[in-house]
Amino acid sequence: MKKTFFVFLILLLLVGSFIAAQSADNSNPALKPILGHFAARNFAVGAVPKAQLDLILQAGIRAPSASNRQPWHFTVVQDLTLAKKIVPQVNDGNVLIVVSAAGDGKTNGAVMLDCGLAVQSMYLAAQALGLGSRIYSGPIAAVNSNLKTELGIPSNQNAVALVRVGLLPAGTDAVSSASARNSADKTITWK
């Protein structure tokens, strides 16, 4: 009886170790877009399929937020002429998702974090679907001062950031397209 229990215990430990190793493995499908993402610099011409765009927007809607306030509003810009006013490099078929929220977009840290989480969720969802994505904050001042009405951003809101989504040119990959990342020893302090 003791021998059977001992064998069972060892087997249980081995299975537990195997499961733990599998969950820590970076080939986990949930971790692939997080660990393998890159901000595309080049996008191909061609429309983002509506079904994929809907999934990307759902990822933004499902992002976490402080006290579940969900302070964001998404403006989807598919019109090339209007998109070029915001990001001149966009190609035909690229989509810009402008994330806005109530307030001035600068002083409420929780709202900024919440919108950042929505942006990150959409950015990663696009990549998980095999699309290119890039986050922009540089054009936001111009959007807020010149384009809010044209974009239909609610008057009580200001743009916070935007995500560009589009098809990738053939042969684009994270190795040749990604910028170098800081190493863990430069970024993490263990105490």
Side-chain angles (χ1 to χ4, degrees), residues 13-55:
L13 288 171
L14 288 172
V15 168
S17 297
F18 176 76
I19 290 170
Q22 290 299 317
S23 64
D25 182 2
N26 67 4
S27 67
N28 180 310
L31 293 176
K32 282 185 179 183
I34 295 170
L35 297 176
H37 79 89
F38 64 96
R41 288 189 176 90
N42 298 311
F43 290 77
V45 172
V48 174
K50 174 85 166 77
Q52 289 185 325
L53 186 54
D54 288 341
L55 288 170

Side-chain angles (χ1 to χ4, degrees), residues 9-168:
L9 184 61
I10 290 177
L11 185 59
L12 187 61
L13 288 171
L14 288 172
V15 168
S17 297
F18 176 76
I19 290 170
Q22 290 299 317
S23 64
D25 182 2
N26 67 4
S27 67
N28 180 310
L31 293 176
K32 282 185 179 183
I34 295 170
L35 297 176
H37 79 89
F38 64 96
R41 288 189 176 90
N42 298 311
F43 290 77
V45 172
V48 174
K50 174 85 166 77
Q52 289 185 325
L53 186 54
D54 288 341
L55 288 170
I56 292 164
L57 291 164
Q58 282 300 314
I61 290 168
R62 300 281 307 155
S65 64
S67 300
N68 197 29
R69 287 189 206 122
Q70 304 172 49
W72 46 69
H73 177 85
F74 306 140
T75 302
V76 181
V77 183
Q78 295 176 294
D79 177 83
L80 182 61
T81 303
L82 183 53
K84 282 189 173 288
K85 289 180 180 180
I86 302 167
V87 177
Q89 309 89 326
V90 296
N91 294 334
D92 191 20
N94 288 179
V95 175
L96 299 181
I97 304 169
V98 181
V99 179
S100 59
D104 66 8
K106 295 178 186 173
T107 58
N108 189 331
V111 170
M112 293 295 290
L113 176 60
D114 293 345
C115 289
L117 291 168
V119 165
Q120 178 79 358
S121 291
M122 291 186 287
Y123 166 85
L124 291 172
Q127 294 200 21
L129 293 168
L131 299 167
S133 59
R134 187 173 187 86
I135 298 170
Y136 292 82
S137 59
I140 296 306
V143 167
N144 286 329
S145 56
N146 303 323
L147 297 170
K148 278 178 57 172
T149 302
E150 193 171 355
L151 288 167
I153 293 174
S155 61
N156 68 331
Q157 298 203 353
N158 280 303
V160 174
L162 67 95
V163 181
R164 178 182 177 187
V165 178
L167 303 179
L168 290 171

